[in-house]
Amino acid sequence: MKCKDVRTNLPEYLEGGTAPGMKSVAEHLAECESCKAFSVVLEEALHHIELEKQTEFDPYLFTRIQAGIENRRNQNRFGYARQMARPLAYAMVFIFLLVAGIGLGRMFSNQQALATDYKTEIFYLQDEQSYLQDLVSE
Amino acid sequence: MIQDADFITRLKQGDPDAFRKLVDQHQIPLVRLCKGFLHNEEDARDVVQDTFIEVFESIRRFREDARLSTWLYRIAVNKSLNRIRKNRISGWLVQLDLFTPSEQEDGLSVDSALQVAEETPDSGGKTRIIRKAVDTLPESQRIAFVLHKYLDLSYKEISTVMEVSLPAVESLLFRARQSLQKKLYNVYKKNVL
């Protein structure tokens, strides 16, 4: 069996696989130092997983779960109001900006109209002045 | 583990003793399962706590055509994957802040883990490499691998949890093992392990 084929079958071999090719894997590992060394690496990886699996029973987990459930219940009580609060706030800000914009727009257009009125008045005054000057010269 | 109609009925009625029994029976397998994804005891226990809270709130919707444990494992897997995504996003946001160097391990590729391991060729570096090799598996392979190696579920049980066929589970686990073997062999070739 070639080293590459051994490596392909190595994970199953290390997990206690019983497929027909496993005997050939064992025979190859007995002869090939490189594959043997790599099998040690893979075994270490599997061992690491076994170590990581170790965990202890937590006697306080149920208490914490109950506290978590109670917290969620309290949050849900104001849930509807909280759900509506944000869109309402956005709507009010939008309305405020709209009204402010309209107000500013009117103020600006009033100022322009006022300026236009002043210009018109000045124009008529100038016109009247030239008329009077013409009268005087006559 | 007890799964009878009476027990499920009591759970649906909100019987606290039944719920406590459920928590006590499934606590350790669920923490193992979550550690397979998160590699962190504290995060794993947080996710397990969230899992049980969700179970309590949605037990009335539990259809009794599947085992309770199957349903628990599915919820725990989804919550673990969501926590990983959330941690990844937080890691990116921290890295965007140039003045706050990230200390998180998440986000390291196998190659980056390899670089770190070359600098720290102790058992911590090896652990990092092995974890990253598992973490960089495609999602469905990773789920199948964790269910098999961390929960010791049979292929049939895995197919029930993942809702895929038995041949699909065999294929996923085969590919996961091959992928891990190749990644670790690449590292071995560089004489780090």
Side-chain angles (χ1 to χ4, degrees):
Chain A
M1 204 180 232
K2 290 183 183 171
C3 291
K4 192 178 174 189
D5 296 329
V6 167
R7 285 199 305 274
T8 302
N9 288 296
L10 205 44
E12 191 184 345
Y13 171 78
L14 289 173
E15 288 181 17
T18 52
M22 295 301 112
K23 192 176 169 195
S24 304
V25 173
E27 285 168 2
H28 182 95
L29 288 177
E31 292 164 359
C32 178
E33 285 301 317
S34 174
C35 287
K36 177 71 184 161
F38 179 58
S39 76
V40 170
V41 166
L42 266 189
E43 258 185 306
E44 267 190 31
L46 292 174
H47 179 63
H48 163 79
I49 290 171
E50 289 301 315
L51 287 178
E52 200 175 25
K53 274 163 71 171
Q54 289 171 13
T55 188
E56 287 180 5
F57 182 81
D58 181 357
Y60 304 110
L61 178 61
F62 181 68
T63 309
R64 288 204 304 277
I65 291 168
Q66 285 185 309
I69 291 167
E70 194 57 37
N71 274 344
R72 283 213 194 174
R73 274 200 194 125
N74 290 337
Q75 281 175 8
N76 286 340
R77 231 171 256 156
F78 302 106
Y80 181 72
R82 198 179 295 183
Q83 276 175 11
M84 292 305 294
R86 193 180 286 188
L88 266 177
Y90 288 151
M92 284 174 64
V93 166
F94 175 73
I95 291 169
F96 171 76
L97 288 173
L98 192 62
V99 168
I102 292 171
L104 277 171
R106 279 190 184 163
M107 202 185 311
F108 181 68
S109 66
N110 280 347
Q111 281 181 350
Q112 266 203 333
L114 215 56
T116 312
D117 286 345
Y118 285 144
K119 279 184 192 165
T120 311
E121 201 171 321
I122 290 167
F123 175 75
Y124 279 125
L125 283 173
Q126 281 174 344
D127 199 35
E128 201 174 317
Q129 190 179 14
S130 65
Y131 173 70
L132 288 173
Q133 277 175 348
D134 289 342
L135 271 181
V136 165
S137 62
E138 279 174 13
Chain B
M1 291 180 190
I2 297 173
Q3 166 140 354
D4 53 52
D6 179 53
F7 181 65
I8 294 173
T9 306
R10 284 168 58 206
L11 282 173
K12 287 184 175 181
Q13 288 169 348
D15 180 354
D17 290 334
F19 190 61
R20 182 187 272 274
K21 191 177 259 184
L22 181 76
V23 170
D24 289 347
Q25 283 179 348
H26 290 90
Q27 180 193 139
I28 289 179
L30 284 178
V31 172
R32 276 192 197 141
L33 171 62
C34 295
K35 278 173 88 172
F37 290 104
L38 301 167
H39 306 300
N40 177 294
E41 182 91 25
E42 201 179 311
D43 279 352
R45 290 193 183 274
D46 272 349
V47 169
V48 167
Q49 189 176 317
D50 287 345
T51 300
F52 279 119
I53 292 174
E54 180 160 333
V55 164
F56 181 83
E57 290 176 347
S58 39
I59 187 69
R60 287 188 191 88
R61 294 200 295 271
F62 172 64
R63 296 192 317 266
E64 294 172 48
D65 52 354
R67 291 179 62 84
L68 201 50
S69 55
T70 304
W71 188 49
L72 279 166
Y73 298 153
R74 273 192 209 134
I75 296 173
V77 166
N78 287 333
K79 285 200 177 287
S80 300
L81 294 175
N82 287 341
R83 175 65 70 103
I84 290 167
R85 288 178 200 121
K86 188 179 159 193
N87 286 348
R88 199 178 291 148
I89 291 169
S90 305
W92 289 339
L93 290 174
V94 167
Q95 284 175 18
L96 281 176
D97 182 354
L98 298 173
F99 299 102
T100 309
S102 171
E103 290 176 0
Q104 291 189 15
E105 285 189 15
D106 282 348
L108 278 180
S109 63
V110 176
D111 290 335
S112 303
L114 171 64
Q115 190 180 352
V116 175
E118 281 174 336
E119 293 161 9
T120 56
D122 55 356
S123 61
K126 283 184 196 176
T127 302
R128 198 175 283 121
I129 289 172
I130 292 162
R131 284 181 182 174
K132 284 304 157 188
V134 174
D135 291 350
T136 49
L137 288 172
E139 192 170 279
S140 47
Q141 286 180 28
R142 187 178 175 183
I143 294 170
F145 183 81
V146 170
L147 288 172
H148 183 57
K149 298 306 296 181
Y150 283 82
L151 268 190
D152 300 320
L153 293 189
S154 66
Y155 284 27
K156 191 165 184 305
E157 287 168 323
I158 295 170
S159 76
T160 311
V161 173
M162 292 182 70
E163 293 180 294
V164 296
S165 66
L166 198 52
V169 172
E170 288 172 358
S171 171
L172 285 171
L173 282 173
F174 176 78
R175 283 187 278 148
R177 287 194 193 101
Q178 291 307 305
S179 182
L180 281 172
Q181 175 262 118
K182 281 176 188 164
K183 285 176 190 175
L184 291 174
Y185 185 67
N186 286 339
V187 173
Y188 163 73
K189 273 197 305 185
K190 293 182 185 179
N191 292 321
V192 177
L193 289 181

